[in-house]
């Protein structure tokens, strides 16, 4: 059975080497065929008429992905202003923060008053504080990942908190 297939393939390949004929019809149109027609001439095919395709493969394929440059975040405290005086007997005030570009999901901001974290980490850019004692304070906001890595920090902001004295005027008794 294999011998019959082999002989059949040899016969087919011999036919593929058939002669090509060229002729011009009465309208002046050129025709090509593998069958001889009257006033057809055999065409001699040269090696350079055959299609040859070569594919150049790169010698080294770059499998490493380009590394992205680390993003530089900018954090600034927009309110209260530098050396602002805040008057509140409860020691309450609000700190507003501006961040650019937007922080990725999972990164929180913490507020440090005099180097101590005074508010829990949050995604909001507004911190509301209460119970802060009077005097001079330094505010800093950090962008912190879940693992505790600080991505960015604001520059320190100095503020002054004033409260009425506990030694106010004496109350009149009834």
């Amino acid at each position: 059975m294999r011998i019959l297939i082999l002989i059949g393939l040899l016969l087919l390949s011999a036919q593929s080497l058939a002669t090509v004929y060229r002729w011009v019809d009465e309208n002046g149109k050129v025709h090509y065929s593998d069958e001889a027609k009257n006033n057809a001439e055999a065409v001699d095919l040269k090696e350079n008429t055959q299609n040859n395709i070569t594919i150049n493969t790169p010698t080294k394929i770059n499998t490493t992905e380009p590394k992205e440059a680390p993003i530089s975040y900018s954090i600034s405290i927009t309110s209260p202003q530098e050396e602002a005086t805040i008057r509140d007997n409860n020691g309450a005030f609000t700190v507003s923060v501006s961040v650019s570009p937007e922080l990725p999901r999972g990164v929180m901001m913490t507020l440090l008053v005099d180097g101590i974290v005074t508010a829990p980490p949050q995604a909001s850019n507004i911190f509301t504080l209460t119970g802060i004692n009077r005097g001079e304070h330094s505010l800093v906001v950090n962008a912190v990942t879940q693992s505790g890595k600080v991505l960015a920090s604001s520059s320190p902001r100095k503020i002054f908190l004033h409260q009425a004295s506990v030694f106010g005027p004496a109350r009149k008794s009834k």
Side-chain angles (χ1 to χ4, degrees), residues 77-116:
I77 299 172
T78 57
S79 173
Q81 296 297 318
E82 177 69 24
E83 295 190 359
T85 299
I86 301 168
R87 290 178 171 77
D88 190 285
N89 288 337
N90 296 323
F93 60 95
T94 301
V95 177
S96 298
V97 179
S98 169
V99 180
S100 73
E102 186 176 324
L103 293 174
R105 177 176 272 170
V107 175
M108 299 292 199
M109 290 188 284
T110 59
L111 174 66
L112 288 80
V113 177
D114 299 327
I116 299 169

Side-chain angles (χ1 to χ4, degrees), residues 7-64:
I7 293 172
L9 288 175
L10 288 174
L11 289 175
L12 286 174
S13 65
Q15 287 181 347
S16 67
L17 298 175
T19 307
V20 176
Y21 298 97
R22 176 184 179 267
W23 76 92
V24 180
D25 66 7
E26 59 275 355
N27 296 329
K29 192 172 185 181
V30 178
H31 296 277
Y32 293 91
S33 176
D34 60 348
E35 297 176 6
K37 303 284 181 180
N38 45 347
N39 57 331
E41 58 185 39
V43 177
D44 183 27
L45 297 178
K46 299 177 184 169
E47 281 189 40
N48 63 358
T49 61
Q50 297 180 9
N51 293 332
N52 292 322
I53 298 175
T54 58
I55 299 174
N56 295 330
T57 57
T59 55
K60 183 178 180 183
I61 298 173
N62 188 4
T63 58
T64 59

Side-chain angles (χ1 to χ4, degrees), residues 154-167:
S154 69
S155 57
R157 173 73 50 104
K158 185 190 304 185
I159 59 134
F160 302 99
L161 181 62
H162 284 224
Q163 296 172 332
S165 174
V166 293
F167 302 110

